[in-house]
């Protein structure tokens, strides 16, 4: 098993994120390289860093060099083979946004699985096709390498049925209109390391706030997801960089019936033009809004905090109380100001912030007398995918890693 590596791929509409982990053992998967190609099909740009964050590549490419995800895979694959010539590729793990109701665990991809995943494209038309294009591209180029699909929805399949339903006629539930939840690989990673990082709450009632450019919250009971704020799509719940979060469906009817928006226009509005960007008119980036003196920037931040607090209250009610609150992802890990504002508004739950610890972004940021503890735990979805990939392939081979 020495010199084996796992490649983790997260393919989007115009970007390809990738990470390489060395397989030293089931629990020991050190990061070797991570990179990202943006602007696929328009202005491709490749950045690759090693595990110490040293930049290895930073270059513009011509549009024809990376016109599609397949081209990007060929290019990145050639670069990785050259750079890691003494390592052998063990398997590829993919982030796949939707596993529907069928896939509640990672799965080894074969022709049948790929067909089943294609059936789910209507449930996630903006993400699923690109995730699958990467699987197909690697399958065509290196058919002997096993590929594993890891799903953003899978971790939430432990929701009780009541948290899976919408109050629509039953036939829609049966046809797949359900509350799936997303960011599952992030929550699974947090649940996995909670016993080490915060053993006193790992078996209790925990709210995890994944606050990045996409944002959601998850209610964990004893490490299992019992509810989450994203639903049928990644639009629901808290406001995000460019998505609105929960919206009265009546607004959508009004936009279509009275304002004449088409389905495509509505999609663009909801995925790309709303949230912090729409409210502020300035940026989708929380850092820029926090620095801005513009009143609408400040209002957007206030809105973000208010609705995150509101969702914490809702999940606290579902859990019947809270033992701990965990912050993760870009804003959650790096913004003491936002964490402080959210936690101060949650004082009624019994949480009290340790201001100095919060400023330092320590792991534990609540004061010693706080009834509810608060934590900052960096997420690592790529590592979660690498671990799943290794475990699945080893279980299929009946083998084990020394
Ligand atoms: P993604 O959902 O794309 O993976 P991340 O989890 O990396 O996103 O989060 C990215 C977002 O985190 C950025 O858009 C930015 O708003 C926010 N962010 C990063 N660092 C900070 C910071 N120091 N203060 C406030 N916000 C931050």
């Amino acid at each position: 098993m020495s010199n084996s590596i796992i490649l983790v791929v997260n393919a989007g509409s115009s970007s390809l994120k990738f990470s390489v982990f060395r397989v030293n053992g089931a629990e020991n998967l050190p990061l070797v390289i991570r990179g990202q190609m943006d602007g696929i099909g328009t202005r491709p740009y490749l950045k690759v860093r090693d595990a110490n964050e040293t930049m290895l590549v930073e270059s513009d490419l011509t549009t024809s060099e990376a016109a599609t995800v397949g081209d990007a895979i060929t290019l990145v694959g050639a670069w990785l083979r050259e750079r890691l010539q003494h390592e052998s590729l063990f398997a590829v793990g993919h982030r796949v946004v939707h596993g529907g109701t069928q896939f509640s665990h990672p799965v080894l991809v074969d022709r049948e699985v790929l067909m089943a995943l294609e059936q789910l494209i209507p449930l996630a038309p903006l993400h699923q096709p690109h995730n699958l294009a990467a699987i197909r591209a690697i399958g065509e180029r290196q058919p002997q390498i096993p590929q594993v699909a890891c799903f953003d929805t899978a971790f939430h399949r432990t929701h009780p049925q009541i948290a899976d339903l919408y109050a629509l006629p039953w036939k829609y539930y049966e046809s797949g209109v359900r509350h799936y939840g997303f960011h599952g690989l992030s929550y699974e990673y947090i649940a996995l390391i909670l016993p080490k990082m915060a053993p006193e709450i790992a078996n209790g009632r925990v709210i995890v706030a994944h606050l990045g450019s996409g944002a959601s919250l998850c209610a964990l009971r004893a490490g299992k997801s019992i509810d989450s704020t994203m639903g049928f799509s990644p639009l629901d719940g808290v406001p995000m960089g460019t998505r609105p979060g929960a919206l009265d469906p009546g607004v959508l009817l009004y936009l279509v019936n009275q304002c004449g928006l088409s389905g495509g226009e509505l999609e663009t509005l909801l995925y790309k033009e709303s949230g912090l960007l729409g409210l502020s008119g300035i940026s989708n980036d929380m850092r820029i809004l926090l620095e801005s003196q513009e009143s609408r920037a400040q209002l957007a931040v206030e809105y973000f905090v208010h609705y995150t607090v509101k969702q914490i209250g809702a999940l606290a009610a579902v859990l019947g109380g809270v033992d701990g609150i965990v912050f993760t992802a870009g804003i959650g890990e790096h913004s003491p100001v936002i964490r402080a504002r959210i936690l101060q508004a949650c004082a009624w739950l019994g949480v009290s912030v340790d201001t100095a610890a919060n400023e330092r972004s320590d792991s534990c940021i609540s004061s010693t007398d706080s009834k509810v503890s608060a934590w900052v735990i960096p997420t690592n979805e790529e590592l979660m995918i690498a671990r799943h990939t290794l475990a699945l392939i080893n279980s299929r081979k009946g083998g084990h890693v020394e």
Side-chain angles (χ1 to χ4, degrees):
M1 194 52 65
S2 60
N3 290 332
S4 281
I5 50 171
I6 288 177
L7 172 65
V8 171
V9 172
N10 180 359
S13 59
S14 63
S15 72
L16 180 77
K17 292 185 190 162
F18 57 93
S19 310
V20 174
F21 294 88
R22 181 166 290 118
V23 183
N24 286 349
E27 300 280 318
N28 187 1
L29 289 165
L31 179 72
V32 181
I33 273 171
R34 68 187 178 86
Q36 180 157 352
M37 190 183 295
D38 288 310
I40 296 172
T42 51
R43 292 180 55 195
Y45 190 77
L46 179 67
K47 268 190 194 174
V48 188
R49 291 183 168 89
D50 69 11
N52 300 318
E53 292 288 304
T54 306
M55 194 68 82
L56 303 176
V57 181
E58 200 173 9
S59 68
D60 284 309
L61 304 159
T62 62
T63 313
S64 60
E65 276 179 297
T68 63
V69 167
D71 297 338
I73 297 260
T74 302
L75 221 133
V76 168
W79 187 85
L80 288 174
R81 268 195 298 280
E82 169 78 24
R83 170 94 194 172
L84 304 170
Q85 23 181 303
H86 302 299
E87 321 264 354
S88 76
L89 183 58
F90 176 70
V92 182
H94 291 264
R95 181 180 190 171
V96 175
V97 69
H98 225 300
T101 52
Q102 190 182 344
F103 297 103
S104 51
H105 297 284
V107 65
L108 187 65
V109 180
D110 59 17
R111 193 187 296 253
E112 263 177 29
V113 167
L114 199 53
M115 274 164 56
L117 296 177
E118 274 163 4
Q119 301 292 313
L120 298 173
I121 287 176
L123 294 181
L126 299 186
H127 300 96
Q128 192 88 345
H130 311 295
N131 305 153
L132 302 186
I135 295 179
R136 246 183 270 108
I138 292 173
E140 283 159 14
R141 286 155 182 80
Q142 293 205 275
Q144 76 288 0
I145 301 292
Q147 301 197 72
V148 173
C150 301
F151 304 100
D152 260 331
T153 49
F155 186 66
H156 299 297
R157 304 284 25 94
T158 49
H159 284 180
Q161 188 184 38
I162 204 87
D164 243 12
L165 288 165
Y166 288 109
L168 291 169
W170 196 256
K171 63 179 179 181
Y172 292 107
Y173 175 70
E174 286 179 338
S175 70
V177 181
R178 297 177 184 214
H179 187 131
Y180 291 101
F182 297 86
H183 288 139
L185 291 157
S186 172
Y187 295 128
E188 187 178 13
Y189 177 78
I190 300 290
L192 191 75
I193 63 166
L194 266 188
K196 247 188 238 156
M197 302 273 298
E200 58 270 48
I201 58 166
N203 259 324
R205 301 156 300 177
V206 175
I207 294 175
V208 186
H210 176 114
L211 308 178
S213 50
S216 71
L217 292 92
C218 177
L220 295 179
R221 179 175 287 139
K224 299 261 184 291
S225 169
I226 63 156
D227 210 340
S228 58
T229 58
M230 281 179 173
F232 175 72
S233 76
L235 289 171
D236 203 1
V238 294
M240 301 167 228
T242 57
R243 295 172 242 163
L247 206 58
D248 177 348
V251 174
L252 305 182
L253 291 175
Y254 174 81
L255 293 174
V256 171
N257 295 336
Q258 307 302 324
C259 305
L261 263 66
S262 67
E265 286 167 335
L266 202 53
E267 196 169 85
T268 304
L269 177 77
L270 297 174
Y271 277 96
K272 305 232 160 87
E273 298 173 351
S274 299
L276 296 175
L277 175 65
L279 269 179
S280 69
I282 294 172
S283 175
N284 60 337
D285 191 322
M286 184 60 91
R287 285 165 291 200
I288 293 173
L289 299 182
L290 284 170
E291 277 165 18
S292 170
Q293 300 305 311
E294 296 288 329
S295 61
R296 272 181 45 203
Q298 291 170 11
L299 189 66
V301 175
E302 198 179 322
Y303 186 92
F304 180 85
V305 170
H306 178 85
Y307 282 92
T308 302
V309 168
K310 197 166 167 180
Q311 296 282 6
I312 289 176
L315 293 181
V318 168
L319 285 164
V322 188
D323 299 305
I325 299 174
V326 176
F327 291 92
T328 195
I331 300 170
E333 290 167 28
H334 303 296
S335 180
V337 180
I338 296 292
R339 289 194 303 259
R341 286 176 66 173
I342 290 172
L343 289 176
Q344 276 151 14
C346 291
W348 63 276
L349 273 172
V351 63
S352 132
V353 191
D354 177 333
T355 306
N358 181 45
E359 285 297 325
R360 290 191 302 265
S361 294
D362 284 357
S363 300
C364 183
I365 56 169
S366 48
S367 53
T368 42
D369 61 348
S370 185
K371 276 198 284 176
V372 174
S373 58
W375 304 81
V376 180
I377 303 183
T379 192
N380 197 337
E381 290 149 297
E382 292 79 19
L383 179 59
M384 198 66 238
I385 294 171
R387 290 176 79 143
H388 275 312
T389 302
L390 179 63
L392 190 72
I393 305 281
N394 274 336
S395 73
R396 304 277 296 206
K397 284 184 177 162
H400 69 98
V401 176
E402 298 95 46

